[in-house]
């Protein structure tokens, strides 16, 4: 059964690697090995849930809550990273990285073959000289030197052949290892993290979100958003109701997202989140997602779609328009 102090730092490391791979659009074999090993180790759901049950049962609520929230953040981060870069990650040439790793012994083997062959050629010359020495005039010292050289070259040849054999064995081991890591794991990792997130949600302490006093956004910004999005991304609603809902104030209006418009609404929430100071933006985002009955995990995996590799021209145009709208209200 995994331990949270084991899985948490490995998730942190996994997210660092995925960020590096997304930026470089390439993967090294050791990165691929870590990712594949991570998936192999944590791909069984039952041990994870058993770990969470044990943690909650045997650890003080405050301590377990901190650990679970830390794990939750890393899992959400993983979902967000893979979702935002999914097309790039799934097109990463894992096979090329594995082949490069498998060929690491090609040059040492070629060099060792050259060394071994040179000794063999020299050995044959001495051996031939010994075969013919009896048919020509020679001294005892000359014959002795040839036998000493023959013995030396025999030993060197055996030693170098042993080195070559070891290199071939190492190359075979590497080729066997590489075959375990040849598959691209980013798609199944995303599914795994989404499943982890759903399971973890059952054990996370439910914290009440308390909005700040006053309002988050002024009426001029809300009015501009209303003009851009009303009856487009969400069902028709008055400016006053939209102002109340986005500021987490009581309202009789309903914010109903139209079919096919969720990704645009996610991007709108993201832009509003970015506009708020760090000390309040997380509280606001959690509360607004709850009020709109949107899962934070889904939001984190989808809000970048508008600017991501899988964006459509229409979605990208909406995002550009919204970016321009928010620029007009920058202080």
């Amino acid at each position: 059964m995994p331990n949270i102090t084991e899985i948490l730092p490995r998730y942190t490391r996994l997210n660092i690697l995925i960020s590096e791979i997304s930026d470089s659009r390439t993967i090294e074999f050791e990165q691929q090995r870590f990712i594949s090993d991570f998936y192999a180790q944590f791909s069984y759901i039952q041990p994870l849930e058993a770990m969470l049950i044990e943690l909650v049962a045997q650890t003080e609520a405050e301590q377990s809550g901190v650990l679970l929230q830390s794990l939750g953040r890393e899992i959400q981060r993983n979902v967000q990273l893979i979702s935002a870069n999914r097309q790039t990650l799934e097109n990463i040439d894992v096979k090329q990285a594995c082949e490069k790793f498998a060929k690491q012994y090609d040059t040492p083997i070629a060099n060792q073959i050259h060394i071994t062959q040179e000794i063999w050629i020299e050995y044959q010359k001495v051996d031939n000289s010994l075969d013919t020495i009896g048919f020509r005039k020679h001294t005892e010292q000359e014959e002795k030197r040839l036998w000493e050289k023959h013995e030396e070259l025999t030993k060197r040849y055996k030693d170098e052949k042993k080195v070559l054999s070891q290199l071939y064995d190492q190359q075979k081991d590497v080729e066997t290892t590489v075959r375990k890591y040849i598959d691209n794991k980013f798609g199944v990792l995303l599914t795994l993290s989404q499943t982890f997130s759903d399971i973890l949600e059952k054990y996370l302490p439910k914290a009440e979100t308390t909005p700040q006093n006053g309002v988050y956004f002024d009426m001029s910004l809300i009015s501009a958003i209303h003009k851009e999005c009303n009856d487009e991304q969400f069902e028709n609603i008055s400016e006053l109701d939209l102002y109340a809902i986005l500021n987490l104030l009581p309202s009789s209006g309903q914010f109903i997202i139209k079919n096919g418009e969720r990704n645009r609404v996610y991007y709108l929430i993201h832009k509003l989140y970015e506009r708020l100071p760090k000390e309040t933006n997380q509280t606001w985002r959690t509360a607004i997602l709850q009020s709109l009955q949107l899962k934070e995990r889904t939001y984190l995996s989808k809000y970048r779609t508008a600017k991501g590799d899988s964006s459509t021209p229409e979605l990208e145009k909406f995002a550009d328009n919204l970016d321009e709208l928010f620029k007009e209200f920058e202080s």
Side-chain angles (χ1 to χ4, degrees):
M1 184 173 70
N3 189 298
I4 195 166
T5 56
E6 177 185 7
I7 190 173
L8 184 52
R10 288 178 68 79
Y11 243 118
T12 303
R13 176 62 181 156
L14 178 68
N15 289 339
I16 291 170
L17 289 181
I18 291 176
S19 182
E20 291 173 352
I21 294 163
S22 299
D23 290 342
S24 67
R25 295 176 179 263
T26 58
I27 192 168
E28 298 296 330
F29 179 75
E30 290 305 325
Q31 294 173 320
Q32 170 66 4
R33 189 207 295 264
F34 182 94
I35 290 166
S36 297
D37 286 346
F38 180 96
Y39 181 78
Q41 183 178 3
F42 300 115
S43 58
Y44 297 101
I45 303 303
Q46 290 83 355
L48 175 78
E49 186 148 21
M51 175 198 75
L52 297 175
I53 293 170
E54 183 177 344
L55 178 70
V56 172
Q58 298 185 4
T59 312
E60 291 184 7
E62 185 176 352
Q63 184 181 356
S64 66
V66 170
L67 290 170
L68 291 173
Q69 286 169 356
S70 296
L71 179 59
R73 283 193 293 270
E74 291 301 332
I75 293 173
Q76 297 277 9
R77 175 69 173 152
N78 187 257
V79 170
Q80 177 184 349
L81 281 170
I82 298 178
S83 299
N85 301 283
R86 186 163 187 173
Q87 186 173 345
T88 296
L89 293 170
E90 291 187 344
N91 287 328
I92 290 287
D93 196 343
V94 172
K95 185 178 179 181
Q96 184 183 49
C98 290
E99 287 176 349
K100 180 182 176 183
F101 184 79
K103 291 178 179 178
Q104 63 180 288
Y105 288 102
D106 285 5
T107 299
I109 286 173
N111 292 339
Q112 189 61 30
I113 288 173
H114 179 71
I115 293 168
T116 307
Q117 286 177 338
E118 282 192 331
I119 295 172
W120 174 249
I121 291 169
E122 191 177 357
Y123 168 84
Q124 285 186 313
K125 287 179 181 178
V126 173
D127 197 53
N128 289 337
S129 296
L130 283 170
D131 286 342
T132 60
I133 198 169
F135 300 97
R136 62 178 176 81
K137 188 176 180 179
H138 65 279
T139 65
E140 187 178 332
Q141 281 186 329
E142 181 186 1
E143 185 173 356
K144 182 181 178 183
R145 281 196 301 270
L146 281 171
W147 278 111
E148 287 174 349
K149 189 67 175 176
H150 185 274
E151 185 178 346
E152 176 199 341
L153 289 171
T154 300
K155 183 179 184 307
R156 285 179 59 195
Y157 180 68
K158 287 181 178 178
D159 289 344
E160 297 301 338
K161 273 192 70 177
K162 184 177 180 181
V163 172
L164 183 59
S165 178
Q166 288 172 342
L167 286 171
Y168 277 126
D169 287 342
Q170 289 171 329
Q171 184 183 54
K172 186 178 179 180
D173 289 342
V174 164
E175 289 171 350
T176 302
T177 297
V178 158
R179 284 194 286 271
K180 297 191 301 183
Y181 298 104
I182 203 74
D183 296 328
N184 187 308
K185 296 292 186 182
F186 294 107
V188 292
L189 261 181
L190 176 60
T191 301
L192 181 66
S193 287
Q194 289 171 333
T195 304
F196 279 0
S197 181
D198 288 340
I199 292 172
L200 185 61
E201 193 172 332
K202 296 189 294 184
Y203 300 95
L204 282 169
K206 305 302 181 209
E208 294 295 326
T209 55
T210 306
Q212 68 181 40
N213 293 326
V215 296
Y216 292 90
F217 310 105
D218 60 38
M219 190 63 189
S220 59
L221 174 62
I222 300 299
S223 180
I225 292 171
H226 185 271
K227 184 177 179 181
E228 178 72 23
C229 302
N230 187 53
D231 211 22
E232 295 289 340
Q233 278 63 61
F234 44 83
E235 299 288 350
N236 185 45
I237 190 175
S238 72
E239 284 188 27
L240 286 176
D241 283 331
L242 182 62
Y243 175 86
I245 290 167
L246 294 182
N247 279 296
L248 306 178
L249 299 171
S251 171
S252 59
Q254 283 189 304
F255 189 103
I256 301 173
I257 302 170
K258 287 192 171 186
N259 288 337
E261 296 295 324
R262 285 207 171 200
N263 284 342
R264 290 177 174 83
V265 171
Y266 289 140
Y267 192 72
L268 170 61
I269 292 170
H270 170 64
K271 295 300 295 183
L272 289 166
Y273 167 83
E274 281 191 324
R275 186 172 172 82
L276 294 172
K278 288 184 178 180
E279 57 269 21
T280 58
N281 59 8
Q282 185 67 55
T283 301
W284 175 83
R285 189 178 71 186
T286 300
I288 196 66
L289 289 172
Q290 288 175 354
S291 72
L292 300 181
Q293 297 183 334
L294 299 172
K295 287 188 176 181
E296 189 167 21
R297 184 255 292 175
T298 307
Y299 161 80
L300 290 171
S301 70
K302 296 292 186 181
Y303 80 85
R304 291 179 184 269
T305 303
K307 291 286 190 176
D309 294 335
S310 58
S311 179
T312 63
E314 295 80 8
L315 185 53
E316 192 168 350
K317 183 180 178 182
F318 169 82
D320 290 339
N321 289 343
L322 213 57
D323 290 346
E324 289 300 316
L325 184 154
F326 274 80
K327 278 183 183 177
E328 294 176 12
F329 293 89
E330 289 178 356
S331 53

